Amino acid sequence: MSTAPCDPFRPVAHLRPPRNWINDPNGLVFHDGHYHVCYQYNPYGATHANMHWGHVRSPDLLSWEPLPIALSPTPGGEDADGCFSGNAVSDGDRLVAFYSANRWERWHQPVTTATSLDGGRTFTPRGAPVVPEPPDGCTMYRDPYVWRHGDGWRMLVGAALADGRGAALLYESPDLETWTYLGPFDAREQEPVGGTDLHTGEGWECPQYLPASSDSPGALIFSAWNESDEARCVAALIGDERGDVFEAGPPVLADHGPDCYAPALLRAPGGRWLLWGWSWEAREESWVLADGWSGMLTLPREISVGADGTLRQQPAAELLALRGEHTVHTAGEVHGPEPVELGGVGRAFDLTARLEPTVSAGLRLLTGPDGSEYLDIRVDTATGELVVDRDHASLDTRAHGGTYRMPCPAGQPVELRMVVDHSVAEVFVTATGQVLTLRFYPTGGGPWRLQARSAPDARLGYAVDAWELQPLVIKEPSADAP
């Protein structure tokens, strides 16, 4: 899990193994005093193949111990072509992982399990699936999510239905072994998500359930899947459980950026819920293969639903301990069009800002010496949105561009927090809990610097603080760890 200082794009505060491919976070569970995080992992290369579960654990979200690979395909077995996505539960002294068993000749992925009795160091596969066949009327079926419900257990499985609806299918069990199908927990035809051009997809992958609390509704989170691999997104339905169905309003985006998918939940001590997502690459595959690694997990985020029904996320409180040197501490005004230099930052930093623009204005992160390579973060007062623009963030034409937006409060100062870690930026609007995840690949090797910028004949009031982002502590893995 260590990071290579010679690679300018490799993160230091985001989880990923030292090499090769990762994608979905899996098996997120708090067990025996540790946060366990597994992830889809190819131990043999930087492509989506040979799916295993990599595994790390931590007592505090800051220091991480690599553990041996949790799940491996069984030659000739139900999961011969990959141990695909799922989750894990803590049941007394055992960890039980639920996952999708993949064989390429089979269109669906039956649910199977593996159990650990030694704190996650070794898992024993069950072999035969606990749910061998999908219900009638499915055309896609995978990704179990299990949670404790009263004296028993419930499980969602992501699906596409033959009538065109995406769905999360509901099961129940008294013992984690015998499962009874109860029907769709929620299912709906494709519809736009949050007023964008994105939609809920042909099927739902990686369903996650955040139960309602005494003063707020619950959330059903899923990744919108399309057979054509067109633009995908992470959507959330906010509502309440009514017996065996989830009654919810229209879908909203769980992340407004282009580079977050398949997030997974962990129920932490004290009633807190955490979420990690997969942040995929936004550069050409040839570049990825040359570097020998692909993908990372997002920062752990505290996630909740407000009493007003808003899905809210913020970096886990523990991550404040990663703040190092306080490199920027400034406040003032800029009157366009000349920018104001705010100071320098490293390739990994944690920033807070309070912005009071009269029209479109914001911050620019300049990563090249001549000012031609930069990432823009600005407030569009006309639309009431925070805009993150990476069209000029890399001079390498193999990097993806694009401009992305998320709502922010209108008619009042905008407070945001942005964590940048080499090639990933996670931007949070503090007041609303909205988040946008984006990858970018600056070629400039010199110091990065921040500017405040405003349009001509306009004003921007600002207060900005930035701290160097310290790396996670990664313990040395044992010889058989990934």
Side-chain angles (χ1 to χ4, degrees):
M1 297 294 296
S2 61
T3 56
C6 60
D7 189 328
F9 307 118
R10 189 185 292 268
V12 297
H14 288 68
L15 288 172
R16 65 151 290 110
R19 62 191 67 85
N20 300 328
W21 169 281
I22 77 165
N23 57 290
D24 304 3
N26 292 151
L28 304 185
V29 62
F30 188 84
H31 176 76
D32 195 24
H34 288 84
Y35 299 91
H36 289 257
V37 173
C38 297
Y39 48 87
Q40 292 283 282
Y41 175 55
N42 177 4
Y44 310 116
T47 59
H48 184 269
N50 308 303
M51 287 293 96
H52 295 56
W53 278 25
H55 189 188
V56 293
R57 70 175 185 176
S58 171
D60 56 10
L61 303 180
L62 302 172
S63 61
W64 291 87
E65 175 189 4
L67 294 180
I69 288 175
L71 303 179
S72 301
T74 302
E78 292 287 345
D79 58 7
D81 294 321
C83 302
F84 278 23
S85 291
N87 81 322
V89 296
S90 176
D91 181 34
D93 62 352
R94 64 176 183 158
L95 278 175
V96 184
F98 287 76
Y99 65 100
S100 301
N102 185 50
R103 293 185 68 111
W104 291 121
E105 74 270 15
R106 185 176 58 204
W107 67 265
H108 70 288
Q109 297 172 13
V111 177
T112 191
T113 68
T115 300
S116 174
L117 298 175
D118 57 6
R121 292 196 168 274
T122 60
F123 283 83
T124 301
R126 184 179 191 273
V130 293
V131 183
E133 296 292 336
D136 292 340
C138 290
T139 58
M140 182 270 274
Y141 182 88
R142 53 177 173 262
D143 306 338
Y145 175 79
V146 178
W147 74 100
R148 190 178 292 278
H149 180 79
D151 294 332
W153 303 86
R154 285 194 158 187
M155 174 170 64
L156 297 177
V157 180
L161 304 183
D163 62 10
R165 294 180 296 164
L169 307 181
L170 181 64
Y171 295 77
E172 68 177 3
S173 171
D175 56 7
L176 297 177
E177 283 287 329
T178 304
W179 292 90
T180 301
Y181 178 54
L182 301 178
F185 192 52
D186 200 326
R188 54 182 71 194
E189 297 178 353
Q190 293 183 36
E191 59 182 295
V193 181
T196 70
D197 294 333
L198 300 167
H199 59 79
T200 51
E202 300 166 23
W204 296 356
E205 293 188 299
C206 304
Q208 308 285 304
Y209 184 50
L210 181 65
S213 66
S214 59
D215 57 358
S216 63
L220 174 60
I221 302 169
F222 62 89
S223 297
W225 171 86
N226 299 284
E227 182 69 41
S228 64
D229 206 28
E230 63 183 83
R232 300 181 180 185
C233 66
V234 180
L237 302 171
I238 309 301
D240 291 290
E241 192 173 347
R242 307 293 186 194
D244 298 336
V245 298
F246 189 68
E247 296 182 356
V252 297
L253 284 174
D255 192 299
H256 295 264
D259 301 322
C260 179
Y261 194 72
L265 294 171
L266 182 151
R267 186 168 192 165
R272 184 175 62 153
W273 287 84
L274 299 176
L275 175 145
W276 281 260
W278 165 35
S279 189
W280 48 36
E281 298 298 317
R283 50 180 174 163
E284 290 184 6
E285 185 179 14
S286 60
W287 191 356
V288 171
L289 295 176
D291 283 355
W293 65 276
S294 178
M296 67 179 73
L297 301 189
T298 66
L299 297 173
R301 304 170 182 175
E302 297 176 7
I303 183 169
S304 62
V305 179
D308 61 352
T310 301
L311 190 70
R312 304 177 63 88
Q313 298 175 66
Q314 63 179 355
E318 289 89 338
L319 301 185
L320 292 173
L322 296 180
R323 287 179 175 176
E325 181 183 356
H326 196 170
T327 56
V328 175
H329 175 63
T330 185
E333 291 187 351
V334 55
H335 298 267
E338 290 299 318
V340 172
E341 298 288 339
L342 303 182
V345 292
R347 287 181 175 269
F349 63 90
D350 186 347
L351 174 146
T352 62
R354 177 184 172 91
L355 304 176
E356 300 182 58
T358 55
V359 294
S360 181
L363 305 176
R364 175 169 290 183
L365 173 65
L366 294 105
T367 57
D370 62 357
S372 61
E373 191 174 66
Y374 55 85
L375 182 73
D376 270 341
I377 306 97
R378 63 180 182 269
V379 179
D380 186 336
T381 57
T383 61
E385 294 172 310
L386 186 75
V387 182
V388 183
D389 181 349
R390 68 175 178 193
D391 276 339
H392 302 278
S394 178
L395 297 179
D396 194 313
T397 58
R398 296 174 297 171
H400 299 175
T403 299
Y404 303 90
R405 297 169 173 264
M406 63 177 163
C408 63
Q412 63 187 76
V414 176
E415 295 188 3
L416 62 89
R417 182 173 176 190
M418 180 171 72
V419 179
V420 172
D421 190 0
H422 290 253
S423 64
V424 63
E426 297 182 56
V427 186
F428 300 81
V429 177
T430 305
T432 63
Q434 303 297 292
V435 60
L436 187 156
T437 303
L438 175 144
R439 301 292 301 278
F440 70 117
Y441 305 88
T443 64
W448 291 357
R449 65 188 199 275
L450 287 167
Q451 289 180 345
R453 304 176 67 91
S454 183
D457 303 319
R459 178 190 67 83
L460 169 68
Y462 61 84
V464 178
D465 287 272
W467 297 261
E468 294 296 312
L469 187 63
Q470 302 299 302
L472 298 171
V473 175
I474 307 297
K475 297 181 180 180
E476 286 297 320
S478 58
D480 54 352

